[in-house]
Amino acid sequence: MRDSFGSKIGLVLATAGSAVGLGNVWRFPFMAGQNGGAAFIIIYIFFIVILGVPGMVSEFIVGRHAGTNAARAYSRLSTGRQWKHVGVMGIVTSTIILGFYAVVAGWCLNYLFVSIGGDIGGDASSVRQYFVQFSSSPVSPVLWGLTFIVLTHLVIVRGIRSGIEKFSKLMMPTMFVLLIVLVVASCMLPGSMKGVTFLLNPNFSKVDGHVFLAALGQAFFSLSLGTACLCTYSSYFSRSTNLVRSAVQIAFIDTLVAILAGLMIFPAAFSVGINPDSGPSLIFITLPCVFHEAFAGMPVLGYVTSILFYALLSLAALTSTISMHEIGTAFFHEELNKSRKTAACYVSALAAVICIVSSFSVGYMPGLQLFGMSMMDCFDKLTAQLLLPLGGFLTCIYIGWFASFPRVYEEFTNDSTVNRSLFRVYLFLVRYVCPTFILAIFLDQFGLL
Ligand code: PFF
């Protein structure tokens, strides 16, 4: 019999684990900070509600109806065989993301171990020098990235209920506790309220078309939409799972974590007068300096904070990489009739190749470029700017216009027992509103809007 999630809380935590990741902890706070603070947060929440939740429900419908891997799932709700390619595209997308995401996750793991040894910290130039030295060494960053893939692999081979679900039930609450402790520590620093005000003060003068599009792109990445991840996870949901309620709960957890991450980073940074930047240098250069300075008089607290922070990042990344891995594993397992262990080995091997190439391209072999960008940036742009929105767009078109209407209704309402009054609203969003907005980001990034 096919494996499945054993409890409602388990499936919500596992799927929220996929959504909550590096995207929440380092990407969201800075997008909010740069794009008008609370004004951005309001727009972001608006998109989560009118696009993110319907998008999630659509993937859930495809996955739960089929009860199989993403490639087969997309051909189950209509007669057109060509929709299978949307599922296959999701599998390719998630495996690419897994490969380069593991590089950054591996850096987090390295920093966790270095923090435990008490070796990070000090002035800005020594922290920067450490990061440059570490990331450009030929062996160390690759080994940490591969270690991350192995950790992911070890959870995956245990299956859904005793692997993914058990791990998520343990790790998600742990991660939440770490986050709360860090938010409290950050907000208690002298001068921290300036950071809170910066994040929560709505500045509508910064809002223009690009801010809307940035919020939309972030909402997609953060909810793991468009990668067939939600479709794969929902194939393990039970018939009684309320898809709309689960989507709302997951979106809520994901948004809450993103806002809390902002309340962890900005107050600490503002309390020592450091203007936080974005991307890798934020996590691996700026924040170690912030911890060092903010807790200068309390070295033990600084030491503990640093460990908790990198533990938080590593856990958030791990629950996400697990979901990316599962998409390909389910595919190889079911389509090629391989054992789950062998299927997982295929995915780990593919991800390992992408991880090594990405890691070299941003360190040891900077010449490893395509279209003038490092391979890591190429993979990132290819997935985040092209494949994710395309996957989301095609899923909405599929569900809204091509899938069997009675089947979609049955899934949405659990055979006419729940959410009946919401179905018309959902259908309107998925047919017209979601595709229009997604098309807008698409055209905008190619300068066509
Ligand atoms: N949602 C994850 C994050 O915010 O970091 C990233 C992600 C996970 C993207 C799973 C795609 C995916 F399939």
Side-chain angles (χ1 to χ4, degrees), residues 18-24 94 97 101 218 220-225 227 229 254 320-321 323-324 327 388:
S18 165
V20 171
L22 297 175
N24 300 56
S94 57
I97 301 181
Y101 201 89
Q218 174 64 14
F220 257 70
F221 186 80
S222 193
L223 292 178
S224 314
L225 269 171
T227 58
C229 168
D254 188 60
S320 294
T321 53
S323 70
M324 297 168 202
I327 307 170
L388 284 191

Side-chain angles (χ1 to χ4, degrees), residues 168-180 312 315:
S168 307
K169 272 172 143 170
L170 197 69
M171 291 309 148
M172 288 300 285
T174 311
M175 200 185 74
F176 208 70
V177 171
L178 290 182
L179 184 60
I180 299 289
L312 168 71
L315 279 184

Side-chain angles (χ1 to χ4, degrees), residues 16-33:
S18 165
V20 171
L22 297 175
N24 300 56
V25 184
W26 106 41
R27 208 154 168 257
F28 178 84
F30 287 89
M31 295 208 114

Side-chain angles (χ1 to χ4, degrees), residues 27-56:
R27 208 154 168 257
F28 178 84
F30 287 89
M31 295 208 114
Q34 280 164 0
N35 294 312
F40 176 88
I41 298 179
I42 293 167
I43 297 167
Y44 178 81
I45 292 175
F46 171 74
F47 282 145
I48 291 281
V49 173
I50 69 149
L51 305 175
V53 172
M56 286 176 94

